[in-house]
Amino acid sequence: MTEKASLAFVRDTMLPEQPPPASETGIIKWVRANLFPDVLNSILTIVALYLIIKIVVGAWPWFANGMWATSSLAECREILQGTTGACFSVLTERWNQLLFGFTYPNDQYWRPILAFVLLAFAAAPMLFAMFLPRKLLLFTALYPFIAFWLIWGGTVLTPLFALLGFVAAATVFPRVEKASGFASALGAAVVTAAIVWYVGGLIAGTTPNLIALEPVPSRDMGGFMLNFILGTVCVSLSLPLGILLALGRQSNMPIIKWICVVFIEFIRGVPLITLLFVANVVLAYFLPPGTNFDLILRVIIMITMFSSAYIAEVIRGGLAALPKGQYEAADSLGLDYAQAMRLIIMPQALKISIPGIVNVAVGLFKDTTLVSVISMFDLVGMIRGPILASTEWNGVYWELWGFAILLFFPVCYGISQYSQWLERQLATDHR
Amino acid sequence: MAEAAMKVSNEIAITIEKMNKWYGTFHVLRDIDLTVNRGERIVIAGPSGSGKSTLIRCINALEEHQKGRIEVDGTVLSSDIKNIDKIRSEVGMVFQHFNLFPHLTILENCTLAPIWVRKVPKREAEETAMHFLTKVKIPEQANKYPGQLSGGQQQRVAIARSLCMRPRIMLFDEPTSALDPEMIKEVLDTMVELAEEGMTMLCVTHEMGFAQAVANRVIFMDQGQIVEQNEPKEFFNNPQNERTKLFLSQILGH
């Protein structure tokens, strides 16, 4: 063979596709690659397996011997006679208290439960907007008023006039805006809503029994229901507020910019607990004597302000990540500021910000348990207060706190999983 | 080339008078005077940093000028946001990095501005979009996302997106500089076709072949000033200014 001939090569038959060797597929491959790839990892796998078995074997009797129907911890101990076993009866006996607090009227539990079920229908058109018709968003818009009426009760006129105020403002706004600009339209809308609410308040005050549910005052809300109300309301309010703050911080108008910067930096520099104490105690000094500004409303305002500042900063990060060309392309097509933000900038910035926003939302939901320090009886408040302090259940820690974990974990994990799914849905960049 | 279609009218499209711009204290554009007639195809060349991109970005107010006067289609460019939006909807712009909207499909990229700015019904906007996508030869990509297209295809979509607004003037800011050599031609072909239809065009580009074939005027800029302008034949064969000669020898040297 000459040197020249050894360089030339021509393939005349193409090779067929072949399956990989058996040792490279399936469960055997997985076990080898992940559990026993080398000596050190094999030892760690065996040690870990030993620990897992030890824990399961140790904890099993505690679950298996669990008591579900006793009336006190003492009774549990008497039956168990020193053997290991849980006293789950605290959960069955105090079930309603854990979920609804200890003063929500027993015969009205169906109302928060119905509101909870309806929440699923109200949230779906927002969360799965790509699969559901847009018309369903109408129910989402109505839901806050329905839920308020169901949970707090009273005459149906109260939420009806609240809704009417928004509708009136929304009809006035575009008409005035066409004639005399954004600022005066905003003013007119606020005034219109205020008038409707004031008149509505007077009318609702004179006929408190018209199509009324039994009114339940805010101080009677408690248990996991309270955490859930605070979490849902504050998350859904702080997202739009956070967007506005983030945009305001980028504004060319110095006044708006500085209001937003000062607000964000101040709120981020103060612990949430401090704000909650302000809501509970200090705010009362600033209000005229005799006014009873609802405590839950005050707490909602504080938590919303707190998390909106954080969300604003997360979204600012998303805005900063967008190339300048996106703004320029939107501008060069003649889109105005609001259109450019709504159609081009925000959809992209929010998508980038999803992990950060979810982080804040999950944190917020868990932080709602902090209201227990201002003597509201949320789930943690109920456990620490009325339940653990009672003579029957003093000392039942594992069962109660384990139950709290069981309530919080699925919600937070669900939010996290939803956000990852949403990110995959929105991935259009094909990087 | 269809000479008849490439006639320049006497109607004035853009007037720029004694326009000056500073970035901080840096004087980027100095006393720019330029009149563009309708149907003119102007190529602006010059070394980097000479202010050529800044000049065309001033025309649709992506950059603010501090002194002088710009009039586009009879509208004087002032800080009035209404005037700016009016001019922007009449003037199309194509960028070096395409700047397509990555979260929208090709079709949505093209229909967005007509629907929201021109208030064209969705159906009609989609028909227009398909018309222009066919014109730039990629109608079959309409439902893909920008990230799935090659650079040349993206730039042609960007041109179609601008055309959907039915602009009277098109600005091109180095439209082929970010493209692989084999994709430059498909974009230039599209631009040539536009020129043949009589579109008023201002192109910042280093494609001297395009300038020779299509432009009826070449402007050479250096240090924020217009140094020389002439019709392409004269400009390339008989440059007057030393700076122009140096530039041409470097750019055409190999």
Side-chain angles (χ1 to χ4, degrees), chain A residues 323-337 339 342-345 347-348 351 426-431, chain B residues 57 60 62-63 85 88-89 91-93 95 99-104 109 112-113 116-117 119 145 147-148 161-162 165:
Chain A
K324 211 169 140 240
Q326 292 292 309
Y327 293 86
E328 289 177 350
D331 283 346
S332 76
L333 287 168
L335 296 171
D336 64 28
Y337 176 80
Q339 290 170 338
R342 218 190 96 199
L343 301 167
I344 309 297
I345 305 302
Q348 297 184 62
K351 191 181 99 188
L426 296 178
T428 59
D429 45 2
H430 305 279
R431 260 177 227 170
Chain B
R57 289 157 62 87
N60 67 350
L62 284 185
E63 302 279 354
D85 281 342
R88 282 174 176 166
S89 60
V91 178
M93 182 149 191
F95 300 87
N99 297 350
L100 294 178
F101 305 129
H103 62 301
L104 301 177
N109 264 278
L112 184 107
W116 289 90
V117 179
K119 316 286 178 203
Y145 286 94
Q148 293 166 293
R161 177 176 73 177
S162 291
M165 285 294 280

Side-chain angles (χ1 to χ4, degrees), chain B residues 78-97:
Chain B
S78 60
S79 55
D80 184 352
I81 207 92
K82 285 220 170 86
N83 278 356
I84 292 179
D85 281 342
K86 178 163 184 286
I87 288 175
R88 282 174 176 166
S89 60
E90 303 291 333
V91 178
M93 182 149 191
V94 177
F95 300 87
Q96 181 179 359
H97 295 289

Side-chain angles (χ1 to χ4, degrees), chain A residues 43-55:
Chain A
I43 294 171
L44 286 177
T45 302
I46 291 164
V47 170
L49 275 176
Y50 173 75
L51 287 176
I52 291 170
I53 292 168
K54 191 89 178 150
I55 290 170

Side-chain angles (χ1 to χ4, degrees), chain B residues 14-19 32-36 55 58-59 69-71 202:
Chain B
I14 304 173
T15 319
I16 300 176
E17 281 166 7
K18 292 259 173 278
M19 195 257 282
I32 303 287
D33 282 304
L34 178 67
T35 308
V36 181
L55 170 61
C58 280
I59 293 173
R69 183 166 167 280
I70 300 179
E71 189 179 322
L202 275 85

Side-chain angles (χ1 to χ4, degrees), chain B residues 85-229:
Chain B
D85 281 342
K86 178 163 184 286
I87 288 175
R88 282 174 176 166
S89 60
E90 303 291 333
V91 178
M93 182 149 191
V94 177
F95 300 87
Q96 181 179 359
H97 295 289
F98 331 135
N99 297 350
L100 294 178
F101 305 129
H103 62 301
L104 301 177
T105 63
I106 300 306
L107 189 65
E108 288 165 341
N109 264 278
C110 293
T111 55
L112 184 107
I115 290 175
W116 289 90
V117 179
R118 292 250 192 272
K119 316 286 178 203
V120 173
K122 189 172 177 224
R123 167 75 55 87
E124 197 185 321
E126 283 177 352
E127 277 166 16
T128 313
M130 287 314 293
H131 167 76
F132 284 112
L133 285 174
T134 311
K135 194 176 154 75
V136 300
K137 303 191 181 66
I138 32 177
E140 72 282 0
Q141 311 283 5
N143 292 315
K144 288 194 182 166
Y145 286 94
Q148 293 166 293
L149 269 54
S150 74
Q153 291 174 322
Q154 290 194 46
Q155 193 60 296
R156 284 184 283 153
V157 171
I159 293 173
R161 177 176 73 177
S162 291
L163 293 178
C164 285
M165 285 294 280
R166 309 255 182 211
R168 311 189 67 187
I169 300 165
M170 285 287 286
L171 308 174
F172 292 84
D173 187 3
E174 306 204 24
T176 56
S177 300
L179 295 178
D180 291 340
E182 47 188 325
M183 295 174 178
I184 291 177
K185 189 177 175 296
E186 59 187 55
V187 171
L188 288 181
D189 285 348
T190 311
M191 290 168 64
V192 170
E193 207 175 303
L194 258 185
E196 285 170 359
E197 285 166 14
M199 176 67 79
T200 311
M201 294 165 71
L202 275 85
C203 313
V204 172
T205 181
H206 299 296
E207 297 298 328
M208 290 304 134
F210 173 78
Q212 278 167 324
V214 175
N216 60 328
R217 184 159 32 139
V218 180
I219 292 177
F220 179 70
M221 286 184 73
D222 189 29
Q223 294 174 24
Q225 300 155 61
I226 295 180
V227 173
E228 187 166 348
Q229 54 174 316

